[in-house]
Amino acid sequence: MTAPLQKTDVTEAEVPRQRAVTKANTPASGPAREGVVLNVFSHGFLALWALMIVLPLLWLVLSSFKTDAQIAGSAFGWPANWSFDVFTRAWDKGIGDYFVNTVIVLVFSVPLTMLFGSMAAYVLARYEFWGNRLVYYVFVAGAMFPVFLALVPLFFMVKLLGMLNTYQGLILVYVAYSLPFTVFFMHAFFRTLPTAVFEAAILDGASHTRTFFQVMLPMAKPGLLSVGIFNTLGQWNQFVLPTVLMQPQSGDDPERYVLTQGLIQLQQQQGYETDLPVLFAGVTIAMIPMLVVYLSFQRQVQAGLTSATLK
Amino acid sequence: MRKGQYQFVAGFLLVPVALYLVFVIWPYIQTFGYSLTDWKGQSQTFSFVGLDNYVALFQDDIFLGAIWHNILFLVFIPVITILLALFFAFMVNAGGRSRAGGVSGVAGAGFYKILYFFPQVLSLAILSVLFGAVYRSDSGGMLNGFLVSIGLVDPGAPVEWLNEPNFVLWALIAVIVWHGVGFYLVLFSAAMQSIPRDIYEAALIDGAGRAQSFFKITLPLLWDAVQTAWVYLGIVAMDMFILVSTMTAPGGEFGGGPDHASETMSTYLMRNFLIYGKSGYACAMGVVMLLLTLILSVVTLRATRRERIEF
């Protein structure tokens, strides 16, 4: 892991030797020659890390086409037969249900997060009233505490409301725990919107509510997209909250595991029955939506997550 | 402010604030209270035991070991991730062949950024299955398979990456680093690109080499981003729940093995809460986690404080 780091010294040490060689051939300027060497090293290390990212992923996807015996035998065999059965088998073995559960929860939780987050951020950013600062700081403070601090009472709160192992329980909890960041980010965004537009809308006779939904919210679209992607990724990948809140309470209670829980469940079943290709196929299925979302929105994903961290 | 505005503000804040208070703030506050009780969680009856839970915690060798492991994560995860990310960010942004005296990025910088970032959008559950397979303790595992094929490891006795107390923490650190480097590369790149180019050009005219311009210009101007990265990675290191609970041999339910060699505060908390039913004790652990997180943030921000450079 640390090898590339130590190699930085090599780059420096290598420079004089290379310089002597190039001096004979081309009378280039100092930094340019240094640049050529650095360029070769850059590409070398960058390509090495790129391989370290791609190979394990590719290897896992390939492994889902193998048989159990092949997987256990040797790490680098090529799959004997390319059958896609394993993906249907993985889907039927539970991945399908877990996938649907996750989608059901997110279809509600992400839009609700965006709606409630924007509403709160908007009034906090653009209206003066008593307690404004206090409410804002209470929201922002929530982003700094570890979720483990709340876990035990949260479980009993959701139980009290009769919402353990229900979609609506998880949806409400996801929304609540996504609010700090959403409010924080959208607050900054609404503050940058021009006041003139707002005043024009009010003068034209629009109500405050109407101004928000028809004027301000559409103007905040780039911000909404960034936070929306951030929340989608965060909630799709959430594991701790469903582990506590989505467990069947009795034998005849349906299993409402989300995808992350389901994968881990499949992985742990491997102790009793070996069907590793199904597990790997499950991971491949779980990876595909992420890959698609990422590749279609990679600019916004990177910008969203980066600005999220920097602010 | 007119009367209609108050109604509007109240109407917009009602639902978000209510959700947030019920599911986030109130559980956070309750944790402190419950941590002073012997609550078992099953019944509603419990009695006040003062600081007994905290006293017990600091005599609990497993918990003290868990704190120690979190501290190790806290040191190594940020250091390794940030150094690698800085190295790659510099390569991507300044490793290109210089044209006309300027400092330029490598060819394909955009491609590297897209690829490196991808692990960040995968859930840790996926990573757990992926690296579970990579670290398999027979030659069917990617790592062992590779080491066997180049002759470094005896096929008869492959390395037990996750069952060997001396390796397990490093194996977990490697996964988190693999997951995080791309994200921090993008973060640092964004910060690097906001540095005005004329500073570099001025330094170049004054005869500064690349190494000098990196340490004297880039790094000081990146300091804010590095500091942020440190806090975020510190929070990751305090958590570590998913990877430890799913990848390591059980030291009970929720991983932490072999023989508590990889136990973290979060896994021990979860086991005490969901398996042993010691809710009050688990709450006390939550409070300790919060305190350590706060100390971490304050210390990081203090220790890394520099004079702010405006540009």
Side-chain angles (χ1 to χ4, degrees):
Chain A
M1 283 276 118
T2 52
L5 289 178
Q6 294 154 355
K7 286 288 165 60
T8 36
D9 304 323
V10 176
T11 319
E12 301 308 319
E14 215 71 63
V15 170
R17 196 149 50 87
Q18 286 284 5
R19 187 169 286 168
V21 175
T22 37
K23 193 173 256 174
N25 304 333
T26 50
S29 65
R33 265 181 275 117
E34 194 187 275
V36 174
V37 179
L38 186 62
N39 187 255
V40 172
F41 273 94
S42 304
H43 276 297
F45 287 120
L46 289 169
L48 185 69
W49 190 263
L51 279 180
M52 283 175 63
I53 291 189
V54 173
L55 285 183
L57 291 169
L58 221 53
W59 174 74
L60 191 84
V61 174
L62 272 184
S63 296
S64 57
F65 290 101
K66 298 182 188 171
T67 61
D68 264 314
Q70 258 188 312
I71 290 171
S74 142
F76 300 111
W78 207 247
N81 67 326
W82 296 84
S83 150
F84 282 88
D85 282 357
V86 67
F87 292 98
T88 30
R89 212 158 80 236
W91 187 264
D92 295 336
K93 215 129 179 225
I95 292 296
D97 292 340
Y98 306 143
F99 203 99
V100 171
N101 285 340
T102 311
V103 170
I104 292 175
V105 171
L106 257 69
V107 159
F108 291 97
S109 65
V110 172
L112 284 177
T113 304
M114 304 310 294
L115 177 68
F116 293 142
S118 308
M119 280 163 61
Y122 177 70
V123 271
L124 291 171
R126 303 196 69 100
Y127 289 82
E128 278 174 33
F129 55 91
W130 185 87
N132 182 318
R133 291 273 88 187
L134 176 75
V135 175
Y136 176 69
Y137 282 123
V138 170
F139 266 120
V140 174
M144 301 204 276
F145 295 150
V147 66
F148 289 94
L149 181 67
L151 232 41
V152 178
L154 177 67
F155 173 86
F156 290 103
M157 173 63 78
V158 175
K159 188 177 183 180
L160 188 74
L161 297 170
M163 289 193 203
L164 279 182
N165 198 30
T166 62
Y167 296 124
Q168 64 269 31
L170 197 63
I171 290 167
L172 292 178
V173 169
Y174 274 3
V175 174
Y177 280 84
S178 306
L179 280 176
F181 174 70
T182 311
V183 169
F184 179 62
F185 190 97
M186 291 312 294
H187 185 268
F189 210 89
F190 281 123
R191 285 193 89 97
T192 63
L193 294 184
T195 315
V197 181
F198 167 80
E199 280 164 356
I202 296 287
L203 277 181
D204 282 346
S207 68
H208 288 280
T209 316
R210 198 182 155 106
T211 310
F212 172 71
F213 282 108
Q214 293 197 334
V215 180
M216 302 309 266
L217 209 51
M219 280 169 72
K221 227 180 198 162
L224 282 175
L225 188 62
S226 285
V227 194
I229 292 169
F230 179 87
N231 282 323
T232 309
L233 287 174
Q235 294 179 7
W236 183 274
N237 290 339
Q238 180 58 250
F239 180 74
V240 176
L241 291 171
T243 298
V244 172
L245 301 176
M246 297 300 255
Q247 338 165 34
Q249 294 305 298
S250 64
D252 45 36
D253 210 9
E255 198 177 72
R256 292 215 175 87
Y257 288 155
V258 297
L259 197 52
T260 45
Q261 267 177 302
L263 282 179
I264 297 304
Q265 167 89 350
L266 261 185
Q267 186 187 26
Q268 278 161 359
Q269 279 169 5
Q270 294 309 315
Y272 314 106
E273 38 170 328
T274 25
D275 196 355
L276 277 170
V278 159
L279 177 64
F280 296 157
V283 168
T284 307
I285 294 173
M287 226 156 42
I288 288 168
M290 294 292 91
L291 188 64
V292 171
V293 169
Y294 177 59
L295 287 181
S296 349
F297 293 103
Q298 59 87 12
R299 202 170 289 275
Q300 286 91 340
V301 172
Q302 294 197 352
L305 292 189
T306 312
S307 56
T309 314
L310 273 183
K311 272 175 189 159
Chain B
M1 199 191 266
R2 278 172 293 131
K3 193 152 182 277
Q5 281 192 10
Y6 274 110
Q7 278 171 1
F8 169 73
V9 166
F12 259 40
L13 279 180
L14 185 68
V15 180
V17 169
L19 268 179
Y20 188 61
L21 287 180
V22 169
F23 290 111
V24 183
I25 296 298
W26 183 229
Y28 275 149
I29 295 171
Q30 278 181 303
T31 299
F32 291 95
Y34 288 142
S35 75
L36 304 174
T37 68
D38 63 356
W39 193 23
K40 297 276 181 289
Q42 299 305 325
S43 63
Q44 277 303 320
T45 55
F46 50 83
S47 48
F48 182 78
V49 295
L51 293 176
D52 282 7
N53 283 328
Y54 294 93
V55 173
L57 262 187
F58 285 96
Q59 288 163 355
D60 184 336
D61 287 338
I62 299 177
F63 188 72
L64 294 178
I67 293 186
W68 175 241
H69 298 144
N70 276 110
I71 291 175
L72 287 178
F73 286 143
L74 215 50
V75 172
F76 288 104
I77 290 174
V79 168
I80 300 173
T81 311
I82 289 175
L83 283 180
L84 275 175
L86 270 177
F87 176 71
F88 287 129
F90 186 63
M91 292 287 123
V92 163
N93 288 295
R97 291 167 198 279
S98 6
R99 294 175 206 94
V103 172
S104 59
V106 293
F111 166 77
Y112 285 125
K113 276 196 237 172
I114 292 175
L115 180 64
Y116 283 20
F117 195 89
F118 179 60
Q120 190 68 33
V121 302
L122 297 178
S123 66
L124 288 169
I126 290 180
L127 257 65
S128 163
V129 176
L130 170 63
F131 280 89
V134 168
Y135 288 137
R136 261 178 81 114
S137 56
D138 58 31
S139 48
M142 192 176 178
L143 205 49
N144 274 319
F146 175 70
L147 292 174
V148 165
S149 71
I150 61 170
L152 270 180
V153 163
D154 167 22
V159 187
E160 300 254 355
W161 297 107
L162 296 170
N163 290 319
E164 167 65 52
N166 293 322
F167 291 155
V168 62
L169 292 178
W170 297 104
L172 294 167
I173 289 173
V175 179
I176 285 294
V177 169
W178 185 86
H179 178 242
V181 162
F183 174 74
Y184 292 97
L185 155 74
V186 170
L187 187 77
F188 295 149
S189 282
M192 276 183 192
Q193 272 153 14
S194 69
I195 300 172
R197 304 198 68 78
D198 38 341
I199 300 185
Y200 285 111
E201 279 158 23
L204 206 70
I205 291 169
D206 289 345
R210 275 167 206 262
Q212 249 181 322
S213 59
F214 176 74
F215 286 107
K216 296 275 163 62
I217 302 173
T218 314
L219 200 56
L221 291 176
L222 275 183
W223 203 251
D224 270 358
V226 172
Q227 202 181 31
T228 316
W230 201 289
V231 173
Y232 273 78
L233 284 162
I235 290 170
V236 168
M238 290 299 258
D239 183 328
M240 288 301 279
F241 175 73
I242 307 180
L243 287 187
V244 174
S245 70
T246 59
M247 284 179 70
T248 62
E253 197 90 17
F254 295 116
D259 194 23
H260 302 296
S262 64
E263 196 77 69
T264 57
M265 289 185 282
S266 54
T267 50
Y268 196 49
L269 184 156
M270 206 66 126
R271 192 176 320 129
N272 271 282
F273 168 39
L274 289 179
I275 309 295
Y276 304 157
K278 292 175 161 181
S279 299
Y281 198 47
C283 282
M285 290 183 208
V287 174
V288 173
M289 278 182 85
L290 169 73
L291 288 181
L292 289 176
T293 310
L294 290 180
I295 293 172
L296 158 85
S297 310
V298 173
V299 167
T300 312
L301 294 178
R302 292 244 150 194
T304 58
R305 192 161 59 186
R306 295 283 157 98
E307 212 174 312
R308 237 193 135 81
I309 304 161
E310 300 280 343
F311 58 89

